[in-house]
Amino acid sequence: FTVMSSPLMVSISGVRGIVGASLRPDVIVQYVAAFGHVQKRHSVEKPVIVLGRDSRVSGPWIEKIVQGVLLAQGYDVLSVGIVPTPTVQLMVIQHKAVGGVIVTSSHNPVQWNGLKFVDNDGLFLGPDWCEKMFALAGDASKLDFPHHDSSRAAPVLMEHATAIDEHINAILALPYIKPEAVEAKKYKVCLDAINGAGGVCMTRLLERFGCTVVGMNTEPSGIFSHEPEPLPENLKSLCERVKAEKADFGIAVDPDVDRCVVIDENGTPIGEEYTLAIAVKFMLGHVGKRGAVVKNLSSSRCLDDIAAEYNCQVYATKVGEIHVAKGMLEHKSVIGGEGNGGVMLPDIHIGRDAPVAAALILQQLALFGGKMSELKASLPQWEIVKLKTPVLGLNADYAIEEITKEWSAKGARVNTQDGVRIDGDDFWVHMRKSNTEPIVRVIGEAHSTERAKQICQEFMDKIQTLGKA
């Protein structure tokens, strides 16, 4: 549901709201208690839930509320502090926890915060259990808090300071990760961690590969130095720094470190779609894996072209990490992810993971032997454009339905599993309402930026005209 003046976004991506308006202590209690309730289905003697957060300034008090609710429900809480979202997912698996909670609203602006919920398999809570959890959150009478008695030990809050190192060590333990091959290149890397949760983790990881790291915004203060989504328009200072430092490349992550974006040696963003493309090239090419690649419907056709080189099939799912994760399990995928810089590698855990993305990119660049701009140029070339417009005052569902009818009648390839995606021979466009913000997205791709812009703008104009009709 959405409160029009101040939205609480509730979806398979968790709960996100504006702190003090739609995200208040009572709202946090409701949703965390509902999550604790549904996780009771994993009946174990001493159930543990892992709790981590990004660096947002509202994080400390929200973290304390989450701890209190979970302890009141009889859970031991393994508190890992300020860490990447994928670190929490990995800790759930490694510590055999019944679930995880991450206090974050990912790439949303600074006034937002939220909650992401992880199941006992390290994946985000699936759509069916999300539905049950959201229903319970709206009906507090159904939530149970056990009576503690002297026959049972009181639940314990455990501080766990080594989660980041455990995550890095798990990446370096992968058989095809060879830090010595990267060390020989002596890369100089500019890192923009936007004062989120990634400064410590990404710096340590890059240094383990022998890189000289020029850190920008690496303090986890939560006071973001620019808009937090790692898009080219928000990364101008990183691009300038790469040029000024004569660095080999730059890396930007979002506040909760599940997205990784690369800037080439000329200070030019290679495009967030190419993070996953380079990772897929490495896994299918150098590592020699064969099997399905899974992406979401808004991801580049570059991935299809790379997979076709190795006779591998690509499957597309609805947008949202859990949908991609379920698709990866279903198709026994060797790699997958989302085109927003999110790489998902089943050999470690099925979740978008910027440290994993950086490790795969470092390995591929070292093997390639050239510059980052040349590595990008060696891959199939597609140009993507991403537009968005507020959903307020717009009947987006009707507009998308009308566009779907029109293009189906034209005989185009139309996919309606998440909004609508229309595929032509040399372009595609995807229109959908966001799970995480009160907006409609129009994403399109063609072989030139001009053509992609023109296609996206035509469809955006159509949505705005039809939606206001």
Side-chain angles (χ1 to χ4, degrees), residues 27 39 53 160 261 345 352 395 408 434 462:
V27 174
Q39 294 313 91
R53 66 179 178 92
H160 187 75
V261 172
L345 186 65
R352 289 180 305 167
N395 187 344
S408 296
S434 169
K462 197 159 269 197

PDB file of all heavy atoms in Angstrom, residues 27 39 53 160 261 345 352 395 408 434 462:
ATOM      1  N   VAL A  27       5.678   0.963  13.020  1.00  0.00           N
ATOM      2  CA  VAL A  27       5.667   0.243  11.733  1.00  0.00           C
ATOM      3  C   VAL A  27       6.762  -0.831  11.740  1.00  0.00           C
ATOM      4  O   VAL A  27       6.552  -1.969  11.310  1.00  0.00           O
ATOM      5  CB  VAL A  27       5.885   1.231  10.559  1.00  0.00           C
ATOM      6  CG1 VAL A  27       6.020   0.496   9.231  1.00  0.00           C
ATOM      7  CG2 VAL A  27       4.736   2.233  10.493  1.00  0.00           C
ATOM      8  N   GLN A  39       8.899 -16.999  10.505  1.00  0.00           N
ATOM      9  CA  GLN A  39      10.121 -17.818  10.572  1.00  0.00           C
ATOM     10  C   GLN A  39      10.019 -18.935  11.615  1.00  0.00           C
ATOM     11  O   GLN A  39      10.859 -19.828  11.644  1.00  0.00           O
ATOM     12  CB  GLN A  39      11.347 -16.946  10.849  1.00  0.00           C
ATOM     13  CG  GLN A  39      11.694 -15.975   9.713  1.00  0.00           C
ATOM     14  CD  GLN A  39      11.693 -16.592   8.330  1.00  0.00           C
ATOM     15  OE1 GLN A  39      10.680 -16.593   7.623  1.00  0.00           O
ATOM     16  NE2 GLN A  39      12.813 -17.157   7.928  1.00  0.00           N
ATOM     17  N   ARG A  53      23.043  -3.962   9.079  1.00  0.00           N
ATOM     18  CA  ARG A  53      22.456  -2.711   8.566  1.00  0.00           C
ATOM     19  C   ARG A  53      23.446  -1.988   7.669  1.00  0.00           C
ATOM     20  O   ARG A  53      24.646  -2.284   7.685  1.00  0.00           O
ATOM     21  CB  ARG A  53      22.031  -1.808   9.713  1.00  0.00           C
ATOM     22  CG  ARG A  53      23.179  -1.266  10.576  1.00  0.00           C
ATOM     23  CD  ARG A  53      22.618  -0.355  11.665  1.00  0.00           C
ATOM     24  NE  ARG A  53      23.636   0.177  12.570  1.00  0.00           N
ATOM     25  CZ  ARG A  53      24.260   1.331  12.412  1.00  0.00           C
ATOM     26  NH1 ARG A  53      24.018   2.099  11.350  1.00  0.00           N
ATOM     27  NH2 ARG A  53      25.152   1.758  13.302  1.00  0.00           N
ATOM     28  N   HIS A 160      28.876  -9.878  16.500  1.00  0.00           N
ATOM     29  CA  HIS A 160      29.743 -10.706  15.639  1.00  0.00           C
ATOM     30  C   HIS A 160      30.517  -9.778  14.708  1.00  0.00           C
ATOM     31  O   HIS A 160      29.963  -9.241  13.740  1.00  0.00           O
ATOM     32  CB  HIS A 160      28.861 -11.685  14.852  1.00  0.00           C
ATOM     33  CG  HIS A 160      29.641 -12.702  14.066  1.00  0.00           C
ATOM     34  ND1 HIS A 160      30.268 -13.770  14.658  1.00  0.00           N
ATOM     35  CD2 HIS A 160      29.893 -12.800  12.739  1.00  0.00           C
ATOM     36  CE1 HIS A 160      30.868 -14.491  13.722  1.00  0.00           C
ATOM     37  NE2 HIS A 160      30.658 -13.919  12.557  1.00  0.00           N
ATOM     38  N   VAL A 261      29.319  -0.844  -9.942  1.00  0.00           N
ATOM     39  CA  VAL A 261      29.391  -0.155 -11.232  1.00  0.00           C
ATOM     40  C   VAL A 261      30.844   0.220 -11.510  1.00  0.00           C
ATOM     41  O   VAL A 261      31.577   0.591 -10.594  1.00  0.00           O
ATOM     42  CB  VAL A 261      28.485   1.099 -11.196  1.00  0.00           C
ATOM     43  CG1 VAL A 261      28.667   1.948 -12.433  1.00  0.00           C
ATOM     44  CG2 VAL A 261      27.019   0.677 -11.073  1.00  0.00           C
ATOM     45  N   LEU A 345      26.066 -15.232  -7.877  1.00  0.00           N
ATOM     46  CA  LEU A 345      26.936 -16.366  -8.173  1.00  0.00           C
ATOM     47  C   LEU A 345      26.598 -17.540  -7.240  1.00  0.00           C
ATOM     48  O   LEU A 345      26.955 -17.514  -6.060  1.00  0.00           O
ATOM     49  CB  LEU A 345      28.405 -15.947  -7.988  1.00  0.00           C
ATOM     50  CG  LEU A 345      29.461 -16.974  -8.391  1.00  0.00           C
ATOM     51  CD1 LEU A 345      29.426 -17.236  -9.895  1.00  0.00           C
ATOM     52  CD2 LEU A 345      30.849 -16.497  -7.965  1.00  0.00           C
ATOM     53  N   ARG A 352      22.528 -10.744  -4.967  1.00  0.00           N
ATOM     54  CA  ARG A 352      23.349  -9.721  -5.625  1.00  0.00           C
ATOM     55  C   ARG A 352      24.471  -9.305  -4.676  1.00  0.00           C
ATOM     56  O   ARG A 352      24.222  -9.019  -3.517  1.00  0.00           O
ATOM     57  CB  ARG A 352      22.498  -8.494  -5.982  1.00  0.00           C
ATOM     58  CG  ARG A 352      21.525  -8.738  -7.121  1.00  0.00           C
ATOM     59  CD  ARG A 352      20.724  -7.497  -7.423  1.00  0.00           C
ATOM     60  NE  ARG A 352      20.057  -7.020  -6.206  1.00  0.00           N
ATOM     61  CZ  ARG A 352      19.477  -5.829  -6.086  1.00  0.00           C
ATOM     62  NH1 ARG A 352      19.505  -4.973  -7.086  1.00  0.00           N
ATOM     63  NH2 ARG A 352      18.882  -5.486  -4.972  1.00  0.00           N
ATOM     64  N   ASN A 395      -2.631   6.708 -14.146  1.00  0.00           N
ATOM     65  CA  ASN A 395      -3.179   5.342 -14.165  1.00  0.00           C
ATOM     66  C   ASN A 395      -2.236   4.490 -15.020  1.00  0.00           C
ATOM     67  O   ASN A 395      -2.497   4.215 -16.188  1.00  0.00           O
ATOM     68  CB  ASN A 395      -4.608   5.346 -14.721  1.00  0.00           C
ATOM     69  CG  ASN A 395      -5.275   3.977 -14.602  1.00  0.00           C
ATOM     70  OD1 ASN A 395      -4.591   2.963 -14.380  1.00  0.00           O
ATOM     71  ND2 ASN A 395      -6.579   3.935 -14.737  1.00  0.00           N
ATOM     72  N   SER A 408       0.730  -6.088 -29.285  1.00  0.00           N
ATOM     73  CA  SER A 408       0.351  -7.493 -29.542  1.00  0.00           C
ATOM     74  C   SER A 408      -0.346  -7.584 -30.895  1.00  0.00           C
ATOM     75  O   SER A 408      -0.098  -8.502 -31.681  1.00  0.00           O
ATOM     76  CB  SER A 408      -0.584  -8.014 -28.444  1.00  0.00           C
ATOM     77  OG  SER A 408       0.087  -8.021 -27.203  1.00  0.00           O
ATOM     78  N   SER A 434       7.645   0.384 -10.295  1.00  0.00           N
ATOM     79  CA  SER A 434       8.743  -0.035  -9.415  1.00  0.00           C
ATOM     80  C   SER A 434       8.218  -0.729  -8.159  1.00  0.00           C
ATOM     81  O   SER A 434       7.142  -0.399  -7.657  1.00  0.00           O
ATOM     82  CB  SER A 434       9.565   1.192  -9.013  1.00  0.00           C
ATOM     83  OG  SER A 434      10.473   0.868  -7.985  1.00  0.00           O
ATOM     84  N   LYS A 462       3.740   8.088 -24.280  1.00  0.00           N
ATOM     85  CA  LYS A 462       2.510   7.325 -24.434  1.00  0.00           C
ATOM     86  C   LYS A 462       1.907   6.982 -23.063  1.00  0.00           C
ATOM     87  O   LYS A 462       0.698   7.086 -22.856  1.00  0.00           O
ATOM     88  CB  LYS A 462       2.812   6.049 -25.241  1.00  0.00           C
ATOM     89  CG  LYS A 462       1.589   5.405 -25.813  1.00  0.00           C
ATOM     90  CD  LYS A 462       1.938   4.494 -26.982  1.00  0.00           C
ATOM     91  CE  LYS A 462       1.886   5.238 -28.291  1.00  0.00           C
ATOM     92  NZ  LYS A 462       1.824   4.376 -29.450  1.00  0.00           N
TER      93      LYS A 462
END
